[in-house]
Amino acid sequence: MYRILQKRSLATGIHMYEISAPEIAAKALPGQFIILRVDEWGERIPLTIFDFDRKSGSIKIIFQEVGFTTKRLACLKQGDFITDIAGPLGMPSHIKKYGRVIAIGGGVGAAPIFPIVRALKEAGNEVISIIGAKSAETLILQDVMNNVSDRLIICTDDGSVGEKGFVTEVLQKQLTGEKPDLVMAIGPLPMMQAVSELTASYAVKTLVSLNPIMVDGTGMCGACRVKIGEETKFACVEGPEFDGHLVDWETLIRRSTMYAKEQELILGEKVRSGGGCGCHS
């Protein structure tokens, strides 16, 4: 059982939990993730490790209420326990001195990009970070991202804060200037696809972090398989980071919606039955 040490709301439907997990905190590295079950009846879902503290033995996760499990997770309070957490999982980010790096976090993607940006900066890179959101109300982590970046550019779809437009529009302006040595993007699949297609036209190395459907997280079930070039890879053990120019985005996006109808059914059933998220508060 893993105790929630702190719960904080970052924006509507977006939460940060600090969790006591000494063994995971001792080994966690930027780019890795966990798989958790809220309780013994719950499904397993992957969440990226936002931060970790080896001294206190804690990890932090940030998640958005999207489906039944994340809504149920959001019902928990400080002091409550999460039944199972497995991790750290996946290959850590390859941190080295690339030179000039542009790091992009779209929406909640700002959370997993943060520890990577921090590590890249510590390795001596010049890091320009771009974080985007629909509006000022859904923008997260601007302060901590600013602290670990040489320059932070904020954009929102409605222009309520920062530049108005998508992260790809901001990236386009950067690519027409001094060419970066690496672009790193994390966020919604369509955003990462758009970034990868844009950087391909400039021949700029691009890495993306994929979060497909996962079950066991150890490469046994194959649910997280992705096509990278001519090869099939398991994101849970060979990722989550891959060359964005080689990802088969069409197949990945199609597979990501495989259980959308089932998710709608269970959420609808809970609403009709008055069960909400199913928590006992």
Side-chain angles (χ1 to χ4, degrees):
M1 301 282 280
Y2 297 83
R3 187 171 183 265
I4 299 172
L5 303 175
Q6 180 187 17
K7 176 180 180 178
R8 186 157 64 94
S9 177
L10 303 182
T12 302
I14 303 176
H15 311 279
M16 188 278 289
Y17 285 2
E18 181 177 5
I19 304 166
S20 178
E23 293 183 349
I24 298 174
K27 297 180 179 180
L29 293 170
Q32 292 187 298
F33 63 95
I34 60 168
I35 285 184
L36 64 77
R37 284 197 310 163
V38 177
D39 54 41
E40 61 181 306
W41 300 280
E43 66 176 337
R44 298 161 62 92
I45 61 167
L47 293 170
T48 303
I49 300 171
F50 161 63
D51 205 356
F52 48 87
D53 188 323
R54 304 196 199 285
K55 290 184 179 179
S56 67
S58 66
I59 61 171
K60 291 180 181 179
I61 58 171
I62 291 176
F63 66 95
Q64 184 172 22
E65 296 180 46
V66 179
F68 175 71
T69 297
T70 47
K71 289 182 181 296
R72 187 172 178 84
L73 181 61
C75 286
L76 300 181
K77 302 180 291 294
Q78 183 172 319
D80 286 346
F81 290 85
I82 296 171
T83 297
D84 294 319
I85 300 181
L89 300 171
M91 298 292 291
S93 300
H94 184 55
I95 304 299
K96 69 174 186 177
K97 188 171 181 178
Y98 293 95
R100 188 169 185 262
V101 178
I102 297 178
I104 305 169
V108 186
I113 204 78
F114 164 73
I116 299 171
V117 168
R118 180 176 58 187
L120 287 169
K121 179 62 178 171
E122 291 173 351
N125 293 281
E126 176 195 357
V127 184
I128 299 170
S129 296
I130 303 170
I131 56 174
K134 290 183 177 179
S135 66
E137 288 71 30
T138 57
L139 183 70
I140 63 170
L141 303 178
Q142 55 266 48
D143 290 337
V144 295
M145 285 296 292
N146 187 58
N147 291 338
V148 297
S149 307
D150 289 284
R151 183 186 176 195
L152 174 64
I153 305 172
I154 295 171
C155 62
T156 49
D157 295 358
D158 63 1
S160 53
V161 64
E163 298 186 23
K164 183 177 181 180
F166 301 131
V167 294
T168 46
E169 296 175 74
V170 177
L171 176 61
Q172 174 83 65
K173 297 175 185 177
Q174 294 298 313
L175 292 173
T176 56
E178 182 183 352
K179 185 176 177 179
D181 298 288
L182 173 69
V183 169
M184 177 78 193
I186 305 180
L189 292 177
M191 181 277 279
M192 291 191 289
Q193 179 182 13
V195 166
S196 299
E197 291 174 350
L198 177 58
T199 57
S201 64
Y202 287 86
V204 174
K205 178 180 176 66
T206 302
L207 295 176
V208 294
S209 182
L210 305 183
N211 187 19
I213 295 169
M214 292 187 188
V215 180
D216 66 278
T218 60
M220 296 178 66
C221 71
C224 68
R225 64 187 180 274
V226 292
K227 189 175 181 183
I228 308 297
E230 297 301 317
E231 298 182 282
T232 296
K233 301 281 190 179
F234 290 169
C236 66
V237 290
E238 297 176 280
E241 292 178 12
F242 296 101
D243 184 334
H245 300 156
L246 298 179
V247 175
D248 181 341
W249 293 104
E250 182 181 348
T251 301
L252 178 60
I253 291 172
R254 185 174 66 250
R255 284 179 54 80
S256 71
T257 61
M258 283 176 60
Y259 299 105
K261 290 184 179 179
E262 288 80 0
Q263 190 70 252
E264 289 175 7
L265 285 172
I266 191 170
L267 286 172
E269 181 61 33
K270 287 297 179 182
V271 170
R272 287 191 295 274
S273 65
C277 64
C279 64
H280 304 285
S281 55

